[in-house]
């Protein structure tokens, strides 16, 4: 069974940092591109960042460029999202997903994803 499990969410103050982890099992992260997307009440699903190790490409939404960075560890079969300079508008449930490519609108076509981890940023 293929599975993605997110962890690392929590409550932080504005300006703080948090690192999210996406642990994969049942498959190798090399087989897919892995992306992070988020959902918040009243907001549309937003693709945050994506990484494709096989082709060495990454994607980051304009709203998080310069603040968030994505990375992968093939040995641990885990993808990370380092979030710095957090803002209240970053508050959302964050999900990681397996996708085919880190292309435009990658988050609209996903193979499977996890249950998410909640990130709450206080002002």
């Amino acid at each position: 069974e293929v599975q993605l499990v997110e962890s690392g969410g929590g409550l932080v103050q504005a300006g703080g940092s948090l690192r999210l982890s996406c642990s994969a099992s049942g498959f190798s992260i090399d087989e897919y591109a892995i992306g992070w997307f988020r959902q918040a009440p009243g907001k549309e699903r937003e693709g945050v960042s994506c990484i494709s190790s096989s082709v060495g490409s990454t994607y980051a939404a304009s709203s998080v460029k310069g603040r968030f960075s994505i990375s992968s560890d093939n040995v641990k079969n885990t993808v990370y999202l380092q979030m710095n300079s957090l803002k209240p508008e970053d508050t959302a449930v964050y999900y990681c997903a397996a996708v085919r490519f880190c292309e435009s609108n990658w988050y609209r076509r996903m193979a499977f994803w996890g249950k998410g981890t909640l990130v709450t940023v206080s002002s």
Side-chain angles (χ1 to χ4, degrees):
E1 180 182 0
V2 295
Q3 186 173 269
L4 292 170
V5 179
E6 302 92 340
S7 63
L11 174 64
V12 298
Q13 291 184 258
S17 298
L18 211 58
R19 189 178 77 160
L20 306 183
S21 298
C22 173
S23 178
S25 60
F27 73 101
S28 172
I29 58 174
D30 287 338
E31 300 175 39
Y32 294 89
I34 304 294
W36 287 93
F37 70 92
R38 63 189 182 186
Q39 290 184 314
K43 295 183 179 180
E44 185 180 28
R45 176 189 298 174
E46 180 182 17
V48 175
S49 191
C50 185
I51 185 168
S52 179
S53 298
S54 62
V55 298
S57 64
T58 60
Y59 161 87
S62 60
S63 59
V64 304
K65 281 185 177 180
R67 299 189 299 120
F68 293 8
S69 63
I70 191 169
S71 62
S72 62
D73 186 331
N74 290 338
V75 174
K76 295 182 178 180
N77 210 30
T78 300
V79 175
Y80 304 94
L81 183 67
Q82 179 66 47
M83 306 185 296
N84 299 322
S85 302
L86 283 162
K87 305 175 180 179
E89 50 262 46
D90 293 319
T91 296
V93 177
Y94 285 72
Y95 302 82
C96 64
V99 301
R100 188 175 183 184
F101 302 111
C102 291
E103 59 188 355
S104 60
N105 298 323
W106 62 266
Y107 54 91
R108 295 181 180 179
R109 295 175 61 85
M110 303 181 291
F112 54 94
W113 53 92
K115 295 182 178 180
T117 185
L118 177 63
V119 172
T120 303
V121 184
S122 62
S123 59

